[in-house]
Amino acid sequence: MSVVKSYKATIWVLSLLILLIVGAILSLNMGKMSLNPLEVFQVLIGQGPEEHHLVVYKFRLPRIVLAILVGFGMALAGAVMQALLRNDLADPGMLGISSGSGLMVLLIISTVGIQGATTAFLLPSMAFVGGLLAAALIYVLAYRKHRMISSTRLVLTGVAINVGLSALTLFLTLKLDDQKYEFAQRWQAGYLWGDKWPYISLLLPWVLLLFIYIVANARILNVLVLGNETSIGLGVALKRKFLWLSIAAVAIASGCVALGGSIFFIGLISPHVARKLVGHDYKVLLPASALIGGILLLAADTIARTVSFKTDIPAGIIVTMLSVPYFLYLLMRSK
């Protein structure tokens, strides 16, 4: 990357960061109970009435932080998967990773429930196990002895696994009682249910540590997108790096799915938008994709909280409505 391109890419990343911060501040002022900027500022400096503190710190701020983290993580996982599979349509939702995590989450909901401190620790870890099992199943079914695994074969296998796991999840959902059934339905639609500080305190280090690991391997991703033969020729330990980066992508997506519901298209759309802004260098593409994912889900959740739809619409539905036209555009452009 030339110095000029690198400078422009850095400016774009900083601009996206500023846009995310501004969006979060604006979102604090928006909702069913309107607060003006002065009232929010008073709350942040420890002043203002108690009801304003309750609205900001108990309801809005944790929801905003969760939306940013889930969008951040899903977009990052999508960018990594697109690099590893060298396929621009790769995404945790489409490949069955989210469905595997979702199936495990549903099993926890149906047996343990959704209340208590135990669930806060159990859901992200079991969602990771479910996502990892789904990824392993996709790899085993796509594997051919003495042949390099085709990225197209992996994607098609992932789509098939996604359909199968989604059907199994739906079957199990029908056996739940009314309360658990309603929660499962909302979770599958992308409901940001884990908007409590204990849940967020678990997800935040999970996402940040995996983000640091993935960004530290940005140079490896730049090499992997060139192809297996080129990567091996340049001295990359292909199988080991592929395995660990895959696990990192599955882990970050699973943690986000566990607390943010089944969010589609964020991991697919965000890297595409980032490439148009900052180019293909993963050193800047990864943070740009993550920031765009956070902005998209924050915007979707703010719309869901603010606009009256006569019911509480999950943010995932808003994301899907906004993303489907762009997804169709990508399909028409795809070779």
Side-chain angles (χ1 to χ4, degrees), residues 220-249:
I220 300 298
L221 290 172
N222 282 332
V223 176
L224 290 176
V225 295
L226 299 177
N228 294 336
E229 293 80 4
T230 304
S231 301
I232 294 172
L234 292 174
V236 175
L238 182 63
K239 291 184 178 179
R240 182 168 60 86
K241 287 296 183 181
F242 187 95
L243 175 63
W244 285 110
L245 284 168
S246 297
I247 291 175

Side-chain angles (χ1 to χ4, degrees), residues 133-144 149 154 157 161 239 242:
L133 290 175
L137 182 60
I138 293 168
Y139 183 85
V140 169
L141 293 176
Y143 177 78
R144 286 295 177 269
I149 294 181
L154 276 171
T157 304
I161 293 297
K239 291 184 178 179
F242 187 95

Side-chain angles (χ1 to χ4, degrees), residues 162-326:
N162 181 38
V163 173
L165 291 177
S166 297
L168 181 57
T169 300
L170 179 61
F171 174 76
L172 293 176
T173 300
L174 297 176
K175 295 181 174 294
L176 299 176
D177 60 43
D178 291 342
Q179 181 182 5
K180 292 179 180 178
Y181 175 80
E182 181 182 358
F183 176 83
Q185 289 292 96
R186 293 173 67 81
W187 179 89
Q188 289 173 339
Y191 179 58
L192 296 170
W193 73 274
D195 55 347
K196 303 291 186 292
W197 290 117
Y199 293 114
I200 293 172
S201 65
L202 289 173
L203 184 61
L204 180 60
W206 183 286
V207 171
L208 290 182
L209 289 174
L210 289 169
F211 171 76
I212 292 170
Y213 172 77
I214 291 170
V215 170
N217 284 274
R219 185 184 64 83
I220 300 298
L221 290 172
N222 282 332
V223 176
L224 290 176
V225 295
L226 299 177
N228 294 336
E229 293 80 4
T230 304
S231 301
I232 294 172
L234 292 174
V236 175
L238 182 63
K239 291 184 178 179
R240 182 168 60 86
K241 287 296 183 181
F242 187 95
L243 175 63
W244 285 110
L245 284 168
S246 297
I247 291 175
V250 170
I252 199 169
S254 299
C256 293
V257 165
L259 301 182
S262 187
I263 303 289
F264 283 94
F265 294 114
I266 287 283
L268 173 66
I269 301 299
S270 301
H272 281 276
V273 177
R275 286 189 191 95
K276 292 184 179 296
L277 297 179
V278 302
H280 296 267
D281 186 351
Y282 275 84
K283 292 177 183 178
V284 287
L285 178 62
L286 289 171
S289 299
L291 289 170
I292 290 169
I295 291 168
L296 286 176
L297 193 53
L298 175 63
D301 185 60
T302 302
I303 292 171
R305 288 192 294 105
T306 304
V307 180
S308 177
F309 294 103
K310 306 299 183 183
T311 185
D312 189 9
I313 299 294
I317 294 179
I318 304 295
V319 170
T320 302
M321 292 171 59
L322 295 175
S323 302
V324 162
Y326 191 67

Side-chain angles (χ1 to χ4, degrees), residues 91-101 130-131 134-135 138 158-159 161-163 165:
D91 167 73
M94 295 182 64
L95 291 178
I97 306 302
S98 296
S99 296
S101 299
I138 293 168
V159 171
I161 293 297
N162 181 38
V163 173
L165 291 177

Side-chain angles (χ1 to χ4, degrees), residues 19-28 60 63-65 67-68 71 192 266 292-305 315 319:
L19 180 60
L20 180 63
I21 295 171
V22 171
I25 294 172
L26 291 176
S27 185
L28 278 173
R60 290 190 187 169
R63 183 79 169 256
I64 289 169
V65 173
I68 292 173
L192 296 170
I266 287 283
I292 290 169
I295 291 168
L296 286 176
L297 193 53
L298 175 63
D301 185 60
T302 302
I303 292 171
R305 288 192 294 105
V319 170

Side-chain angles (χ1 to χ4, degrees), residues 88-122:
D88 289 346
L89 297 181
D91 167 73
M94 295 182 64
L95 291 178
I97 306 302
S98 296
S99 296
S101 299
L103 179 60
M104 195 63 71
V105 168
L106 181 61
L107 290 174
I108 298 300
I109 292 171
S110 61
T111 54
V112 180
I114 58 174
Q115 303 298 328
T118 303
T119 309
F121 289 92
L122 195 58

